[in-house]
Amino acid sequence: MATDRAMLPARAFLRMCRRNMRRPKVADSMGADLTGSELLLRTLILRRLLLRDVLTFDERNVGVLLPPSVPGVVTNAALTVDRRVAVNLNYTVTSEVMNSCVAQAKIRHVITSRRFLERFDFHLDAELVFLEDFKDRATWRDKAAAAFDAWLTPVAALERRFRLGEIGPGDLMTIIFTSGSTGWPKGVMLSQENIRSNVDAFEKALSVTPDDVLVGVLPFFHSFGYTTTMWSALMLDAKGVYHFSPLEPRPIGKLCREQRGTIFVATPTFLRSYVRRCEPEDFNSIDVVITGAERLPPDVADAFEQKFGVRPYQGYGTTELSPVVSVNIPPSRTPPGAGTVRKEGTVGKPVPGVSVKTVDLETGRDLGTDQSGMLLVKGPNVMQGYLDQPEMTAEVIREGWYVTGDVAAIDAEGFIRITGRESRFSKIAGEMVPHIRIEEALTEVLALDGESQSVVVTAIPDLRKGERLVVLHTGLGKPTEQVCRDLATAGLPPIWIPSPDSFCQINEIPLLGTGKLDLKRVRELALERVPVRTV
């Protein structure tokens, strides 16, 4: 049996390791390559040291600041087996944003690596715990006790000692931070059952086998990386292999080639760079490529298939949905007699156990087939809610249905076609970029009075990055190049800063009769005034 379907993640992990004691289970581009027994041994040693030397008994949420890698996998496994909540922090944001996450989750310790932190200049309001220091802390007794447990102690006995039977399906497993409607991060609370059910659905949808090798390049602070490439490897018999950055095509190509990767999950933006810089033989063994986070342009799918001989297909999900909602099934994974399981231009059908529907944007009335409306999702993958934000949770979860903010149509066969997005965010190179935070920063650097809105941020399609930020304004008072420099000085991440040629002056900011922004008209003006990049 590929997975213990009724088992929650920690118990499924122990059983997976025991089934695969001598089989390779996790590897990374830095040279680590562990069997199931080695993975379990390292997990148990780290759990033992954290419990003895670092974490207090009542410390629930623990920060993790590590890239996709074997150390990142082991750290997440150790915390979960110790019944802690691993909070993987986004290392692409500023210290201010990260400290907001640390404060919200009441994190006291952040587990990281000195080698990894050399690339950043973070100043965190938490105690840093460096993995390198544990090499000297582990005594021969620690190693011997962990080895005995890894090889000889019955799994049921380990579960009793670690009190894993006390974990319930609704218990919190992780908090993944994303941007909220105000632009500040919200903590998405995902339960044990959220992750278990999504791994189960992922396995069923793609017919994952023990011979599969999952290639993980998406960070663990994204739910796609956390669930589909990390916990799928920790709960299923497939192997997981990792590279710390999706922005490095050549090392990723080498990893896929050497580890014989079979399932690859990425964004269209990253696929475009792999087409340019990877060699055809790099992806010889890959037979499943699934994209998410942004629309898959047909030319990207065509170019990838032409060079590597495998066609990428779209899936759909959100952090709040653990994340997978739907997927197109590739030909190599189509069960006999399954009927139509993929359709170009759609994000596929819902995965097993998940229901979807569309409702009228104004009235909330249920819509029929091929009618465009707000996409709602229901199932065991719907999050518990936003951390300490019940009102915001109530806005997006209504009678068990999660309101995605995406506008879609569902055809007679059940395929979902995304037709637009209501929320004020852009997905640029797979990253969520909040328009309101940029507007707030512009108000500060331009010293605007704030009484009337004179700048508004929107987005238009961009072939290279998915979307391009555009600023409509009634006057800046300084050159756009200076505005961009000021935004950088103010601490905005580079991906949040519009290019100097993406500012456009208009007579007045479009408003609705209610006084709210006319977002539809704002976008229309941007499309009229700013050319869409086609190369």
Side-chain angles (χ1 to χ4, degrees), residues 18 21-22 35 37-38 40-41 146-153:
R18 280 293 171 85
M21 293 293 276
R22 299 185 186 279
T35 62
S37 62
E38 291 167 333
L40 182 56
L41 176 64
F148 184 87
D149 284 343
W151 281 96
L152 299 175
T153 304

Side-chain angles (χ1 to χ4, degrees), residues 3-20:
T3 179
D4 301 280
R5 298 193 189 280
M7 293 286 179
L8 295 178
R11 298 177 70 189
F13 166 70
L14 293 180
R15 283 163 170 74
M16 178 282 298
C17 288
R18 280 293 171 85
R19 286 194 305 271
N20 296 277

Side-chain angles (χ1 to χ4, degrees), residues 66-86:
L66 293 167
S69 59
V70 167
V73 170
V74 170
T75 299
N76 275 271
L79 291 171
T80 301
V81 169
D82 199 37
R83 298 184 298 119
R84 314 275 182 172
V85 175

Side-chain angles (χ1 to χ4, degrees), residues 35 75 120 128 153 188 206 228 318 438 445 490 499 535:
T35 62
T75 299
F120 305 99
L128 298 181
T153 304
V188 175
L206 295 181
T228 61
T318 72
I438 301 171
V445 302
S499 59
V535 292

